[in-house]
């Protein structure tokens, strides 16, 4: 009966979260087809950078890649859409935000080499010779097979920035709720640089994201102080975030020389399997600084020439030692590897015999960051306190996006981005 109750609670929780996340943001980075893996975007060759390019920088380029799990070269196309600040589709026609074509065919396809999992890697770049962006804002690129636009296999968010304002900000542990304990306060100013903003409350829209997460993004912010050339957002209770903890990490870019967080890598015919060392909760420990990349991942095959086709896929086994299951919530493995979503792919299962949560993931060789996210039942808000803990010293990445729509404007311009 206990196991059935736990399973039922997980299912209810999962359905609630899926409905919340995917009904409130139509366009988000995700994979729809289970045969598509490792959707990535590299900004000027850097897969760890946010996908932001400048409108007036012709040298900026995004490389979008993904794998299809077969050795058959298929026909994939893409379509680009312009979005509002809330990621709903804008009213602009493609000719108003692109010079050239908003559609294209993905022509670069390469078969995997000497891998136990057969796959084909596809890549394309934006902008390109046929596609140039003419306005700033949020963008989504949808990928589909054989011209079936109504059934995309994946989609990716990216941003085009026309820098017109300057953002200055800071992160502090001293908040209105506590002093240097578990929370972080974000304060920032927007310097208008002469941009003619008549009413910041209606013309300016803001989004603040912690580590590019979806669940705790902050919007609908109003300035606490307004002067002629500066809008201040300080001591705002909406800008208090749980500090969380540094991301855990593992690297299996080599089957021979792997890091200390991996117990062993075995070839269990016909594939490789990675067994991570068992993890224990860090919520009752003192904060320890560690080098992470705030949830991101990178594909890498050591001693190879082309990781995009030489890196193999392996089953990665994760275990979290917890004496009792969380009856009032569920535990997910959070990170960019799953595009910061909450779904069946990263939902952990509790084993009452071995007293642990476990999950097996199919991942491409490389280095990965992850956290243990706890989500209370009927909630859409992740908390790290029960497992990983929360500390004001944690080195998170905060991205502040500033959108501007003047009176009578038809779309939200992206006029400022600041990374703290």
């Amino acid at each position: 009966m206990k196991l059935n109750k736990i399973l039922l609670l997980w299912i209810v929780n999962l359905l609630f979260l899926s409905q919340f996340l995917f009904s409130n943001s139509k366009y988000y980075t995700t994979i729809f087809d289970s045969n598509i893996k490792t959707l990535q975007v590299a900004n000027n060759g850097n897969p760890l950078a946010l996908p932001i390019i400048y409108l007036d920088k012709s040298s900026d380029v995004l490389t979008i890649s993904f794998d299809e799990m077969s050795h058959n070269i298929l026909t994939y196309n893409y379509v680009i859409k312009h979005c509002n600040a809330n990621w709903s589709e804008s009213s602009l026609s493609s000719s108003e935000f692109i010079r050239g074509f908003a559609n294209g065919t993905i022509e670069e396809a390469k078969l995997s080499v000497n891998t136990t999992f057969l796959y084909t890697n596809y890549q394309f770049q934006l902008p390109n010779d046929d596609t140039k962006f003419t306005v700033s804002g949020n963008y989504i690129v949808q990928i589909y097979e054989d011209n079936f636009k109504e059934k995309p296999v994946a989609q990716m968010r990216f941003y085009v920035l026309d820098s017109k304002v300057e953002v200055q900000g800071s992160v502090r542990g001293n908040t209105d709720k506590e002093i240097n304990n578990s929370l972080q306060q974000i304060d920032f100013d927007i310097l208008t640089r002469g941009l003619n903003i008549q009413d910041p409350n209606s013309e300016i829209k803001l989004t603040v994201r912690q580590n590019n997460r979806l669940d705790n993004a902050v919007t609908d912010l109003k300035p606490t102080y307004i002067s002629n050339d500066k809008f201040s957002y300080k001591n705002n209770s909406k800008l208090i975030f749980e500090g969380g903890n540094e991301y855990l990490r593992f690297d299996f870019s080599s089957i021979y020389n792997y890091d200390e967080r991996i117990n062993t890598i075995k070839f269990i015919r016909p594939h490789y399997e990675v067994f991570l060392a068992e993890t224990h909760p860090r919520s009752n420990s003192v904060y320890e600084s560690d080098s992470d990349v705030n949830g991101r991942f990178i594909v890498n095959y050591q001693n190879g020439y082309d990781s995009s086709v030489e890196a193999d896929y392996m089953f990665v086994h994760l275990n979290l030692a917890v004496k009792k299951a969380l009856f009032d919530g569920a535990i997910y493995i959070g990170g960019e590897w799953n595009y910061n979503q909450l779904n069946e792919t990263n939902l952990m299962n509790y084993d009452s015999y071995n007293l642990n949560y476990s999950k097996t993931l199919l991942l491409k060789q490389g280095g990965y960051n992850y956290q243990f996210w706890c989500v209370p039942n009927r909630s859409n808000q992740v908390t790290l306190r029960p497992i990983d803990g929360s500390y004001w010293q944690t080195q998170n990445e905060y991205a502040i996006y500033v959108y501007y729509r003047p009176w009578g404007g038809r779309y939200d311009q992206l006029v400022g981005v600041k990374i703290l």
Side-chain angles (χ1 to χ4, degrees):
M1 286 296 292
K2 283 187 176 180
L3 287 176
N4 290 336
K5 184 177 180 181
I6 293 172
L7 182 61
L8 180 61
L9 288 172
W10 280 346
I11 293 172
V12 171
N13 203 42
L14 184 62
L15 290 173
F16 177 84
L17 288 165
S18 299
Q19 183 181 19
F20 174 84
L21 287 176
F22 302 149
S23 64
N24 286 275
S25 273
K26 180 180 179 182
Y27 294 119
Y28 46 91
T29 298
T30 195
I31 293 173
F32 299 111
D33 188 329
S34 61
N35 219 34
I36 303 296
K37 305 290 184 186
T38 319
L39 176 66
Q40 277 190 298
V41 58
N43 188 342
N44 294 316
N46 182 3
L48 299 179
L50 291 172
I52 303 169
I53 57 175
Y54 284 84
L55 182 64
D56 58 355
K57 238 183 182 180
S58 59
S59 60
D60 276 2
V61 63
L62 299 175
T63 301
I64 299 167
S65 63
F66 62 93
D67 295 332
E68 193 275 328
M69 302 304 286
S70 78
H71 251 196
N72 303 314
I73 296 180
L74 306 176
T75 301
Y76 284 104
N77 304 85
Y78 64 84
V79 60
I80 302 165
K81 299 180 180 182
H82 186 270
C83 296
N84 297 312
N86 66 355
W87 291 100
S88 61
E89 189 170 355
S90 76
S91 62
L92 299 182
S93 64
S94 61
S95 61
E96 293 178 285
F97 60 82
I98 280 180
R99 184 171 66 250
F101 302 98
N103 302 275
T105 300
I106 301 174
E107 298 178 347
E108 185 175 345
K110 297 182 293 183
L111 302 178
S112 63
V113 180
N114 297 325
T115 55
T116 63
F117 274 93
L118 300 180
Y119 64 87
T120 305
N121 179 261
Y122 296 84
Q123 295 187 13
F124 63 100
Q125 294 184 330
L126 295 174
N128 53 50
D129 292 341
D130 297 321
T131 301
K132 306 293 181 185
F133 300 105
T134 57
V135 304
S136 65
N138 292 345
Y139 282 83
I140 195 83
V141 57
Q142 291 186 320
I143 301 162
Y144 53 94
E145 184 183 355
D146 290 334
N147 288 315
F148 289 120
K149 290 185 180 181
E150 303 81 12
K151 192 177 179 181
V153 298
Q155 61 187 21
M156 172 73 72
R157 284 179 173 184
F158 65 96
Y159 306 82
V160 176
L161 171 63
D162 184 11
S163 185
K164 296 180 179 179
V165 301
E166 180 182 353
V167 184
Q168 298 176 344
S170 62
V171 184
R172 55 185 168 90
N174 185 354
T175 74
D176 290 339
K177 296 181 179 180
E178 61 180 34
I179 297 176
N180 294 348
N181 187 7
S182 63
L183 303 175
Q184 294 179 340
Q185 172 80 59
I186 310 302
D187 296 316
F188 60 91
D189 297 321
I190 297 176
L191 308 182
T192 61
R193 288 180 175 175
L195 185 65
N196 186 24
I197 301 173
Q198 302 295 324
D199 180 11
N201 287 312
S202 62
E203 296 179 29
I204 294 293
K205 298 176 184 176
L206 297 168
T207 297
V208 180
R209 295 190 185 280
Q210 182 194 56
N211 302 329
N212 210 27
R213 281 166 50 182
L214 299 173
D215 67 288
N216 63 350
V218 176
T219 58
D220 194 28
L221 291 165
K222 305 302 180 185
T224 52
Y225 176 77
I226 299 175
S227 65
N228 290 333
D229 58 356
K230 181 171 74 174
F231 310 137
S232 295
Y233 301 78
K234 296 183 177 180
N235 295 314
N236 189 320
S237 60
K238 294 184 68 173
L239 291 171
I240 297 177
F241 292 81
E242 186 178 85
N245 206 341
E246 307 298 347
Y247 282 78
L248 298 165
R249 53 192 168 91
F250 62 91
D251 188 331
F252 63 113
S253 53
S254 168
I255 62 173
Y256 306 108
N257 183 28
Y258 42 84
D259 69 32
E260 71 280 3
R261 295 167 180 81
I262 297 175
N263 273 342
T264 186
I265 298 179
K266 295 180 180 180
F267 180 70
I268 302 176
R269 193 172 299 275
H271 306 296
Y272 285 97
E273 306 207 17
V274 181
F275 297 87
L276 299 188
E278 188 172 59
T279 306
H280 295 267
R282 298 182 287 167
S283 54
N284 294 323
S285 304
V286 296
Y287 169 78
E288 292 185 15
S289 178
D290 195 8
S291 298
D292 67 7
V293 287
N294 295 310
R296 295 184 176 90
F297 72 96
I298 188 168
V299 170
N300 183 35
Y301 174 68
Q302 285 189 26
N303 303 320
Y305 294 98
D306 187 353
S307 294
S308 66
V309 291
E310 292 180 271
D312 206 347
Y313 278 84
M314 300 183 185
F315 290 107
V316 179
H317 302 278
L318 297 92
N319 290 283
L320 170 66
V322 177
K323 291 183 179 180
K324 293 182 180 180
L326 272 70
F327 283 96
D328 58 347
I331 295 181
Y332 296 79
I333 302 172
E336 288 277 4
W337 66 271
N338 194 43
Y339 316 108
N340 289 311
Q341 295 177 33
L342 301 166
N343 52 34
E344 290 184 6
T345 301
N346 60 337
L347 175 64
M348 300 193 78
N349 302 308
Y350 188 71
D351 184 340
S352 58
Y353 180 79
N354 291 307
L355 301 180
N356 65 22
Y357 280 93
S358 63
K359 190 69 179 181
T360 298
L361 308 173
L362 181 60
L363 299 174
K364 196 173 184 178
Q365 275 184 282
Y368 290 77
N369 274 193
Y370 68 102
Q371 290 176 327
F372 293 109
W373 290 355
C374 301
V375 183
N377 293 328
R378 300 185 180 277
S379 172
N380 55 59
Q381 185 71 53
V382 167
T383 176
L384 275 76
R385 294 175 192 263
I387 303 299
D388 281 335
S390 184
Y391 306 92
W392 70 272
Q393 303 100 317
T394 302
Q395 299 176 55
N396 293 302
E397 176 189 89
Y398 291 94
I400 303 168
Y401 300 88
V402 183
Y403 302 90
Y404 169 59
R405 182 186 292 208
W407 181 259
R410 295 176 50 230
Y411 70 97
D412 297 322
Q413 307 172 37
L414 182 59
V415 294
V417 175
K418 179 66 175 180
I419 310 297
L420 301 179

